[in-house]
Amino acid sequence: PHCASKAKFRRMHIIDEYRLERMKAAVRTLLKAVGEDVEREGLIDTPKRVVKALIDASSGYHQTPASVLGDALFNEPIVRDAGPSIVCVRDIEFASTSSDTLLPFHGRCHIGYVPSNGVVLGLSKFSRLTKMLAKRLQTQSQLGAQIAASLQHHLGCHGVAVVIEAKHLCMGAAALPGQQTTVSVCGCFAEPCTSHLEELLAMLGLEAAAASTHSLTKEELHASVEAAM
């Protein structure tokens, strides 16, 4: 069994080395295509650096929301007795990579949710989930939807809202001024007869962001949970 394990490790190492070499070759091809000399000083090690950065930027694919959130759920009688109140976690900094352009976007994420039966999630888990899902290729809207769907699925709460303010390193007039705000909601935050979303946006001083709100349908909620896995 020990020999078999060592053989498996060697095979995996060979596969990884082969994959890295292919990625570096692809970067060299791109550099040549834009007219660069890949052998000139300053570019010789660029393919290796780009591959390292891309692997880090996509490391979220190797984790799941369940593995990040774990069992850090707490039953708080004070929260339960307060009724359907909003718990807000704001200013979670993140950096991600756009699936449209492969260019970075970064900013702050704010999360609001209404606990069910006083069940709350440990504060550090919101940051860990956001940063993990950000380490994937996606759009800003997809990131917000996956955070909201993952929390709704894990917490079983009354509803979740995710507000993302981000700057995009994107060329073109359509991206100006570069700052985008998206709002992804589900559960009670998506119900027009409640004021939960208005209350949350008022807390954040982002009342104008209501116009960019996207309410997740049951199908989108399920798809976002599956995509986050």
Side-chain angles (χ1 to χ4, degrees):
H2 180 65
C3 293
S5 297
K6 290 179 65 175
K8 182 179 180 181
F9 175 80
R10 284 196 296 269
R11 286 197 301 272
M12 291 177 63
H13 180 71
I14 291 172
I15 292 172
D16 284 345
E17 286 296 323
Y18 176 67
R19 180 168 63 94
L20 292 176
E21 288 304 319
R22 288 186 64 191
M23 292 174 72
K24 287 191 285 186
V27 175
R28 283 192 287 269
T29 298
L30 288 172
L31 290 172
K32 289 177 181 178
V34 298
E36 272 290 357
D37 175 11
V38 296
E39 300 300 329
R40 74 169 174 83
E41 185 179 0
L43 279 184
I44 294 177
D45 291 329
T46 295
K48 181 170 64 176
R49 289 191 291 265
V50 171
V51 169
K52 183 179 179 181
L54 185 57
I55 289 174
D56 176 68
S58 59
S59 60
Y61 289 117
H62 305 294
Q63 294 178 284
T64 65
S67 68
V68 169
L69 297 176
D71 56 358
L73 297 176
F74 306 95
N75 198 313
E76 296 290 346
I78 296 177
V79 175
R80 183 189 62 234
D81 296 341
S85 302
I86 298 173
V87 176
C88 179
V89 183
R90 61 183 301 167
D91 296 324
I92 301 171
E93 295 186 353
F94 75 91
S96 190
T97 306
S98 170
S99 56
D100 291 334
T101 62
L102 293 186
L103 291 174
F105 64 96
H106 64 94
R108 299 178 300 164
C109 176
H110 317 291
I111 301 171
Y113 72 106
V114 177
S116 175
N117 297 319
V119 176
V120 298
L121 181 68
L123 285 177
S124 66
K125 298 297 185 180
F126 291 95
S127 177
R128 290 187 61 189
L129 176 68
T130 300
K131 293 178 186 298
M132 183 275 283
L133 289 175
K135 294 285 189 176
R136 299 180 178 187
L137 306 183
Q138 67 224 310
T139 65
Q140 181 174 328
S141 296
Q142 288 170 340
L143 175 59
Q146 289 187 22
I147 294 171
S150 298
L151 289 171
Q152 180 71 39
H153 179 74
H154 189 78
L155 287 171
C157 52
H158 292 301
V160 181
V162 177
V163 183
I164 296 179
E165 301 176 274
K167 291 184 178 180
H168 292 248
L169 182 61
C170 182
M171 307 300 288
L176 296 177
Q179 174 98 6
Q180 296 182 24
T181 301
T182 55
V183 184
S184 300
V185 298
C186 58
C188 63
F189 285 95
E191 296 173 1
C193 58
T194 68
S195 60
H196 289 105
L197 180 58
E198 289 77 9
E199 290 177 23
L200 175 65
L201 294 178
M203 287 182 197
L204 300 171
L206 295 171
E207 291 88 341
S212 58
T213 299
H214 176 66
S215 298
L216 299 177
T217 64
K218 289 183 179 180
E219 292 75 16
E220 289 175 323
L221 191 63
H222 177 73
S224 294
V225 170
E226 290 294 317
M229 295 302 184

